Amino acid sequence: AHIHSHAHEVRKISTWRNRSVSVPLAERQQPEPEEQAIPWSNVAATCIDAAVDGLLIGLAYSANATAGLSMAIATSIEMGFLGLSFSAQIKASASSSAQHVLIC
């Protein structure tokens, strides 16, 4: 048998359709949002990171005031982005706004 014999066969290309698009919008089933458990390991890691960052700012300031100030500015920027991502993750898994506020 020739190794490329399948290339000469003419096959009908079957098209398949996306069922969610072919169903009218009113009849589509929306997936239920899944509740996620609160990521306590990330909560602990974020708290430890904040504590270590504060310690490093204090150490830098005790060595030189300018170094402490530059560390404080850099850490503020870092903690801002960490806070945004941490809060978004907690909001996705918290069952209420009060729980979200208490954890963050």
Side-chain angles (χ1 to χ4, degrees):
H2 184 60
I3 194 164
H4 298 290
S5 63
H6 68 279
H8 301 293
E9 295 175 12
V10 178
R11 288 189 248 173
K12 181 180 176 185
I13 298 174
S14 65
T15 59
W16 51 280
R17 62 182 192 189
N18 186 344
R19 292 184 181 168
S20 64
V21 175
S22 61
V23 175
L25 184 62
E27 296 175 11
R28 291 185 195 170
Q29 293 180 352
Q30 298 298 328
E32 293 291 326
E34 295 180 18
E35 283 195 35
Q36 302 170 356
I38 293 176
W40 291 110
S41 59
N42 285 355
V43 173
T46 302
C47 291
I48 292 169
D49 179 55
V52 170
D53 286 347
L55 178 71
L56 291 175
I57 290 171
L59 287 172
Y61 189 77
S62 67
N64 185 351
T66 306
L69 182 62
S70 64
M71 280 291 293
I73 292 169
T75 302
S76 296
I77 294 168
E78 181 252 340
M79 290 302 285
F81 286 108
L82 177 65
L84 283 173
S85 62
F86 178 71
S87 179
Q89 184 180 29
I90 296 299
K91 184 178 180 182
S93 59
S95 59
S96 67
S97 295
Q99 188 180 27
H100 178 218
V101 169
L102 286 174
I103 293 173
C104 288

